[in-house]
Amino acid sequence: LGSPTIAELMHYEASSGYHPNLPQLTDKRGATGLLWVRRQLSYQTTVFENLMHMRNSNDIDNIMSMSDQNQQQQQQKLAMPLFATANDAVADAYRQVYDNYHGWAIRKMFHYSFQGAPDTQTIYHHMTSPSQEKDDLGRYCCHQDLPLDHAHPRSFLNIARPLLNDLARAFDHFQMNDPSRV
């Protein structure tokens, strides 16, 4: 006997009447958990996408020294928006994914947590480091001079984005895209 697919689980819950006020979901059901997993994966994916669009100081200096016409062409090439800091990239991901679902208190809590976001180099070190024992990973990442590499985040994004698109279609199909705030 195999496990049900996500679509089968959602179909079962929708057809069994577990969620009588769709698109609002009933707590403590599989679809509710899947919705929050989907949002968290979407948030993490958007953070990685945004971090890949960080603007470094050399980019800014080079653009500022160009003529107005060349500046516009270069900015278009760089696929705006570009983020000046990891904090900006993380905050933008939050706005895209969670802002409509969180009330004032939770938004404030996230806002304050962004202030503690590590720099991009540290984030990439955690994402691109070779396999290490869990206890040694943090120490290894923080003390090695590893290159800033987009290979691992791109691999993650190549898997996560299509998965998120499929999940979005399933939630739309079963009318379970709960817009409720927490």
Side-chain angles (χ1 to χ4, degrees):
L1 197 199
S3 298
T5 66
I6 290 173
E8 289 170 339
L9 171 74
M10 294 172 80
H11 173 73
Y12 173 78
E13 287 191 7
S15 63
S16 297
Y18 287 122
H19 308 285
N21 300 315
L22 289 175
Q24 187 173 356
L25 299 176
T26 304
D27 285 342
K28 298 183 183 178
R29 293 286 170 200
T32 306
L34 286 171
L35 180 64
W36 284 104
V37 167
R38 174 185 160 211
R39 288 178 182 164
Q40 180 57 35
L41 181 58
S42 182
Y43 171 70
Q44 192 62 56
T45 301
T46 305
V47 167
F48 290 161
E49 288 169 339
N50 286 356
L51 289 174
M52 292 178 68
H53 292 95
M54 290 285 298
R55 177 184 278 175
N56 69 39
S57 60
N58 292 337
D59 291 336
I60 295 169
D61 293 340
N62 291 338
I63 290 171
M64 296 313 249
S65 66
M66 297 176 185
S67 69
D68 287 342
Q69 183 178 7
N70 287 342
Q71 280 183 10
Q72 288 176 334
Q73 290 170 349
Q74 186 63 24
Q75 286 173 342
Q76 288 170 353
K77 265 193 226 177
L78 292 173
M80 299 299 268
L82 295 177
F83 301 96
T85 67
N87 190 335
D88 294 342
V90 171
D92 180 75
Y94 175 84
R95 279 190 295 278
Q96 288 185 48
V97 175
Y98 285 126
D99 205 38
N100 291 331
Y101 306 111
H102 288 169
W104 178 85
I106 294 176
R107 279 198 308 265
K108 284 293 185 188
M109 181 186 69
F110 268 82
H111 172 74
Y112 288 118
S113 74
F114 299 150
Q115 295 173 3
D119 61 73
T120 310
Q121 191 76 22
T122 302
I123 292 169
Y124 276 133
H125 282 183
H126 282 278
M127 293 166 39
T128 62
S129 65
S131 252
Q132 298 286 319
E133 293 296 321
K134 276 189 172 182
D135 295 340
D136 294 335
L137 183 60
R139 199 174 24 232
Y140 175 82
C141 293
C142 295
H143 297 292
Q144 298 296 315
D145 188 20
L146 298 175
L148 188 61
D149 180 11
H150 290 321
H152 292 298
R154 278 200 181 103
S155 296
F156 170 80
L157 294 172
N158 288 338
I159 294 167
R161 239 339 129 197
L163 176 64
L164 285 167
N165 292 339
D166 287 348
L167 281 171
R169 282 191 292 277
F171 275 90
D172 288 343
H173 176 77
F174 293 106
Q175 299 174 356
M176 292 182 162
N177 219 354
D178 190 343
S180 301
R181 287 181 174 252
V182 293

